[in-house]
Structure formats: structure tokens, C-alpha cells
Amino acid sequence: MSSSRRAPVLISVIFLAVILPPVLTVLGAGFAGSTAGAWAGQVQSVLSRPSTWRSLRFSILQAAVSAAISVAVAIPGAYLMSHYRFRGRQIIQSLSLVPFVMPSLIVILAVIGFYGRAGLLGRLFGGDLTFVYSGVGIIIAHTMFNISVALRIIAGGWMQVDERYRWVSASLGERPFSRLLHLHLPLITPSLVSAFIIVFLYCFVSFGVVLVFGGVRYATLEVRIFQEMFTNLNLTAAGTLAALQLAVAGFLVSLIQYLTRKKGAGTVRSGRRFHARRWNELARPARTLAVLYWAAVGLFLFAPLLTVVVRAFTSNGRFSLISFRALFGGAVGTREVSEIMQAQLPDILMTSLGMATLSALVSSSLAYLCARSLRDHLPGWLDTVLTMPLAISGVTLSLGLRLLLFGIVPELVLIVMAQSIMAFPLVFRNMRGHLRALPTRYLETGRSLGARPLHLLWTVEVPVLWRGLVNTFAFAFAVSLADFTSVLTIGRGRIVTFPIAMYRLIGFQSFDVALALGVVYMVFVGLIFFVVDITSVQREEAGL
Amino acid sequence: MIELRGIRRDYGNFSLTADLQIDERELLTLFGESGSGKTTILRLIAGFERPDSGQIFVGGREVTRLPPERRQIGYVFQDYTLFPHLSVGQNIAYGLRVQKLPSEARMRRVRELLDLTELAGFEDRAVAMLSGGEQQRVALARALAPSPKALLLDEPFSAIDTERRGSLRRHLLNVQRTLQIPTVFVTHSRTEALYLSDRLVIMRDGAIVESGVPRDIYERPTTLYAARFTGSANTFTHEKLKRLPAHWLDGPVPAERAADQGAPIAVLRPEKFEFTNTGQSEPEGGCLEGQIRHVGYFGSYCLYIVETELGELEVQEEPGCSVGQTVRLCCPAGSIHLLG
């Protein structure tokens, strides 16, 4: 058997060997140390609680609505990004990612600050927009997070479609609207479906957002698992709920895939270099619409984040640095801020940075190895397997790792493991996209010239793919930096990163200091992305 | 020398079998329709694919299980795959660097190859700035720099303008003759196959159907596939042959072929036909009469479609006749070749 045929099997075996044990540990938690009968009784009692089914219903509902809105909003943007070259396209692409790499707590603060009680919108239009403290707030926050994900996946799919199809359609006299419906829509359906599934899963297992917004009424299964585990100390209930969540996620994803599968499996012909049209080839009314669209999306994504910045710098309606002074060694009321956060700011910085760097290194190197060995042949079933961490949920996975390895492996390492696994599906997708820049035959040429694989890695792969590698690393870094779930679940409060500190500040009702910390975080991530952008642009000018 | 012994490679819906020898100085062309397995043979020799069974020898050493980097075989891809982050000189030096050649010797070798491929002065250029033909020559130079034991070329001219191909072909021949290196060339251009090859190997559905000197295959093909693939051919069933002068054939029809009803058993190249003046007396041994249905003009000659009692025949003759004209067709003795 050649290595290309062995790789998918090997990778899936290793992958499953890593993710299954922690999951099974959680599912079977509580079984040990009790009789089968008692265990079954407890499981039944969990499943017969109305609150369980209410949570399940709410999980599905909010995830479906968030995913549908994210995909629908992203479609026009994806069309513009994939078909037109315009000033600021690159900036839009980078900016749209900003909410996604923000810790969920910042986005929550932003949503509350903008839409909520005494929020900007309320003050502008009067009235009390309390709806935000319900499912609506959750959906707004989820949509803010996930528009960029949908935008990227759909635009990526659209760019794969051979431009000549459009020429043929035009030459046959098809009108643009009919073309959109009969040509584009069927061709991009796979990317629409995969965007929907990914956003759906993200929201279905969402933790931080629901933890803060939902309260008891709007708890998702994910939040309930956490509560059962750490508040009620009921392992059996946590395991049961995790199993229910996994089963439902698996069922829904399979159902979507089944309903939308292609009959007669025609593959979209691609391979021709993508040809972007100039902005001014767009008709004037369409151009106006497009500008309005970007403005609306921009407002939706950034107006709330902007209020975070504004509020961090104001006190009693005036510009003030009081929150920042408190953050850098001050106090709120009688308590030191570092006491509230249970860590010093420099330590928080070092811990966050160190773990995110490690996680990003692990997940992007693994993603590179996988993407490289699967580049010519990624079977559909393997794609599903590699997407699994999205459905498993951070709480379940982190819990499993903790139950399984606590005391054997240091907590920091466990968190790095959890973060790498959680980030893997998207990092892998990202990496696969970048790998297209270096077709296999370049590597074959190198080998025919006598270069061994490791030598090729340094002399050809890394230099040619540099930009993509840095890009993917930065993405993985930001995702891990923003991680709240596994640090909270595994670290149990002893390990303090940005999001945990923020969580504590919010819990102590010192919103302004939390906002100041949010601003520090944004500046931090912004700087990293800026440096990445500059280095990769320089490489690009060097002829790459 | 390259040798493929009992090679099999199964892909489920396609399988390849090959037994093949390429001599020390030979330029061998693999020729056939797309999907016939030409490129697979190259990839097997280079080591990008492994055979399911069989052995591959290069220069007397078995390489079947060796990874590509240990085979010392130069490979040029259809789109050249020049490393985009390296200059022309660095691209050519890539394999020498791998061999850890001292920089002095490396630079000397790079200059040698730049001269050989007529690229002197291009050393520091970025590869993106080169024309297709120049890129192709850089790719050739890069493949040859580490002094490989064999050279494999996968349709290296297919992305080049037709008018430039002529000089590049001559250039390739010069280089190959100078270095005397066994070379395998894949193409589906008839002109390239006939012009370049010392030996032509015709492939179909994953198997070698015919192999020989281009002129032999062109003039005396064994299979109809080879006859049609190497050029235009008028084909004849036994029925039709019986109505033609017997001495036009290059041999007697074997009994077993005579029984072959309806299948073409002989071919005649269009340029073997000649028009004889209808006013003159009929040449000895007889001729065919027909009417011109279509004239295809190719500059120095025309391809005429002539309607005869045996059906439509293709005739290559000097320009001058026109549609509707009645002509007499003759050909020298032994012009019609019996297949098999």
C-alpha cells in the first residue's frame, strides 16, 4: 500500500486515539463507584427532567438561528470578496476576523454595552432594550463571532468555482439573477452547508456567551454540563448530558449532510486561476448597495466593540483613565484588582502568551502534517472525523482530559492539549487552503533533485508557504488566547489568563476595569496581527 | 540504461503493465492518448509512485524501492515548477546544494549549464520574469545540473507557442546528444514524437502496444491504433483490398486475416497516392477513379477527400485541383501496408 493510501487511515486512528478517551471518560463518568442499577436510575432522572429538554431545545434553536443568520448575512459579502477586487478587500478580510478572535466575554460586554440597559442604542433611541438579556443577546453575540467564519468558508468555496462557467452562462444569454439561482447556488451549496454546520456546532456548544447571558432560563446543554460537574458535583448527570449533546450534534450534522448531499456526486471543476473583476465593473446601483452592505456589517461588528473602548476610557461621562489605573495596580472599592483577578497583570500576560504560543505551535504543526499528507486525497469521512472536536464541545473535552490525566500531566499541558484539539478543525482548514500555493509536483521536483523530505521542508516548503504558515499560526494563537472554556474547566481558577481575569472582574461587578482589560487585550492582539501582516507583506514583495 | 521489468500498477479503474528498456544514449518517446499511462511510467521511473509488482533498474542498479531523492533521475514537469522563491541561478544550483558541492564548484557547474541551455546572463533573474521557453530551459538545466543518470520530460513543450517549439526541440536534441543521457519523453504531439525519438513507444489503456524507430512505425505499423496515432491513414478491409491492384500491397494477405470480415487489415498513407492525368492511358496494373469532394489547404500541400468506388479516400498532393474535379489515383507498388 502506498503512503498516500495509508495516510488517511493512520491519521484518523491517531486522531481518534487522542480525542476519544477523554470523551468516553466523561460519558462514563459516575458509572464507576456505583451499581449499574443506581447509575441507570440517575441517568433516567436526568433525562426525565424538563429542564434537560428545555436546554436541548434552546441549544438547537439558538444555534440554528445564529447559523442561519450568519450564513445569510455572509453570502453577499462572500460574493463580493470572491468576485471583485476592491480597495480594502484585504482589510475587510482581516477585520472581520477580529470578533472571532476576541474572548467571548469581551463580545458579551460589547453587546451589553451597545444594546443593553443604559447601552448606547438605548440612550440614542430611548426605551429599555432588555431583550438583549435573553436568547436574542445570545444570538447577536453568536452572529458577531461567526460572520467571519461563514464569510471565509463561502468566499473560499466561491473562488474554487471555475470562472469559465460564468462566461458560458453569459454567452448563453442567462441573466445575472437567474445565473445566481441556477448556476452559483448549486455550485456553492457545499460551502454553504459546511459554513452552516461549522457555525451551528460552534453555537450549539457555546459556553461563555450563554454562561453570562442566559442565566438559568436560557442555559444550553454545555452550560448544564459545567454546572452539574462543578456546582452540583454530579458526575453521572454531566456524563449523561455530554452524551446527549454529542449524540444530538452528530445526528443533526449527519442529517444536514444527508439532506444536502449531491445526487450523482458531480465535483465542481476548478483549477483555473481565479479571476477577480475590478470594482468599477459593478453597476452603480449595485456598487451603492455593496457599500451600504459593508457599512451595515461593519457597524454590526464594530459599533459594540467600539463602545467597549469608549466606556473603558470614560467615567461619569468624561474622558478618564481611572479604569486603567485600577487595572495596573489599583483597587475597586476596598479590594485590590489583582486580588479580584487572583493574579498580577504581568503574570496573566505571561501565562496567556506562553500557553497560546504553545497551543498554536502544536495545533499548527499538527495541522501542517495532516494537511500535507492528505493534500491529494481527503476522503469525505475523514473530513468529518477531523471536524469532530467542534461537536464535542470544550467543556466535555477539557473535563475528560482533566478526569483522565489530572495529577499525571501538569494542568498547563492539559490546557495546551485541549486548546490544540479544539482549534484543530479550523486551523486545519486554514492550513489546507494555504497549502494550495505549493502543488505536490514542486516537492517531487525537489526530491528528484536529491532533496530529502526534511531538507525540502526548509529549502522549499517553509520559504514558499511562509506567509500562509505565519497566517495560520497567528490565527491559532488568537483562538487559543481567547479560549475561556478549557482554562476554566481544567485550571479551576488556579491558572489565570486574560479571559479568566475578565470573568472574575465581571463577577465582581467591576465592569469598567473589565472593559479596560478588554482594551489591553484588543491592543495586544491587534499588535500581533499587525506584525504578522507586515512581515508577510514584506515577504510578498520579495517575490512570493 | 533504464529497465522496467514486469511492472504492474493497479488503480482500481485503470491498471498499467510495462516491460521496457531504454538504452544508454537513447531518447525514447512515450506516445498515446491521454490516460494511456505515459505519465505514470515516468512517475514510476522517478519514484513518485511505487509499482505493485515488478522491478525498475537504472544504470544497472535496482531502484524499485528507493525514494525519488536517491534515484538520481532528472524530471521536468509540464509547467516547469521552478521554485518561485529562488532566482534562476539558485534554481539550477538547488540539486548541487543538496549534494553539498563546494560553492566554487557549484558556481562553475551552474555557469556550464547556463551556457549549455543558452541562458548565460540570466543567473540572477527572478523566475517569474522569464518567458515560457526560458522557464523550460531553466527547468532542464536544473534537472541536468546534478548529472543525473536519466532524464524524464513530461510534455515539456505543451505550454509553449507552436512557432517557438521548433527551436526548443532542436535545443533539447542538442543537449541530449551532447550529454548522451538516457531520456524518456512524454508527449501527445505527433510532430514531437516523430521528430525527436530514437525510438517511439505507443501506449494505450495502460499497456505498450508498439515500439520501434519512428519511421518503421509510421510506414509499417502493426496496429491500426499506431497507424492512426502517428498520422492520417486510409484503411482497407479485405473486401476492399480484393478490388485493388494486387501489387499495391506490400505482401500477400494471410489466410487468417482474409477471414476477418469488416475489420480494416491494411493502411495507406495519403502521401503515397498520386494523381495521374485522366487524359493519359491507364497505368499498368490499373488505378482508381474518383471525384474530389473536399480540398484542405496546408500551404505546401493539400489534403483531398476523393470519393471512389471504395468510399472516401484521403490523398496528399500538390495544390491545384478543385472540388468536383474527376481524378485518377495511383500508387507505387507495395504502398499499402498490411497490419500485423
Side-chain angles (χ1 to χ4, degrees), chain A residues 137-156:
Chain A
I138 294 174
I139 288 168
I140 292 176
H142 278 164
T143 310
M144 279 178 68
F145 266 118
N146 288 309
I147 279 184
S148 68
V149 177
L151 200 59
R152 275 167 181 244
I153 296 175
I154 301 170

Side-chain angles (χ1 to χ4, degrees), chain A residues 368-420:
Chain A
Y368 186 73
L369 282 177
C370 286
R372 191 178 181 278
S373 38
L374 295 174
R375 56 185 306 154
D376 296 319
H377 185 58
L378 179 67
W381 58 267
L382 185 55
D383 200 16
T384 312
V385 168
L386 295 179
T387 315
M388 268 173 63
L390 288 183
I392 287 169
S393 92
V395 169
T396 309
L397 185 80
S398 310
L399 209 56
L401 284 172
R402 187 181 153 86
L403 287 174
L404 203 62
L405 297 171
F406 186 70
I408 305 169
V409 177
E411 284 171 333
L412 283 173
V413 177
L414 283 183
I415 294 176
V416 168
M417 277 174 76
Q419 288 181 344
S420 318

Side-chain angles (χ1 to χ4, degrees), chain A residues 36-67:
Chain A
W39 182 74
Q42 268 190 305
V43 168
Q44 204 181 5
S45 95
V46 173
L47 290 180
S48 58
R49 281 185 212 154
S51 65
T52 301
W53 299 103
R54 208 166 48 235
S55 295
L56 176 63
R57 205 166 46 236
F58 179 68
S59 295
I60 296 175
L61 188 72
Q62 59 86 13
V65 173
S66 305

Side-chain angles (χ1 to χ4, degrees), chain A residues 132-199:
Chain A
V132 79
Y133 301 97
S134 67
V136 178
I138 294 174
I139 288 168
I140 292 176
H142 278 164
T143 310
M144 279 178 68
F145 266 118
N146 288 309
I147 279 184
S148 68
V149 177
L151 200 59
R152 275 167 181 244
I153 296 175
I154 301 170
W158 232 324
M159 278 192 220
Q160 291 290 301
V161 176
D162 194 323
E163 180 77 355
R164 286 172 296 187
Y165 289 135
R166 186 176 67 81
W167 298 344
V168 170
S169 146
S171 73
L172 294 172
E174 189 169 36
R175 311 288 300 174
F177 184 70
S178 159
R179 189 183 311 148
L180 197 65
L181 215 60
H182 298 113
L183 182 74
H184 286 295
L185 198 60
L187 288 176
I188 61 158
T189 300
S191 42
L192 290 182
V193 172
S194 84
F196 184 88
I197 288 178
I198 284 178
V199 177

Side-chain angles (χ1 to χ4, degrees), chain A residues 9 63 73 81 96 105 146-147 174 178 188 192 200 225 266 268 296 301 317 359 482 509 512:
Chain A
V9 179
V73 171
M81 301 252 274
S96 72
L105 293 169
N146 288 309
I147 279 184
E174 189 169 36
S178 159
I188 61 158
L192 290 182
F200 177 88
I225 297 170
V268 176
L301 292 182
S359 302
Q509 301 285 315
D512 292 341

Side-chain angles (χ1 to χ4, degrees), chain A residues 358-371 424 427 431 473:
Chain A
L358 279 178
S359 302
L361 268 179
V362 172
S363 61
S364 44
S365 349
L366 286 180
Y368 186 73
L369 282 177
C370 286
F424 183 84
V427 174
M431 194 64 97
F473 178 83

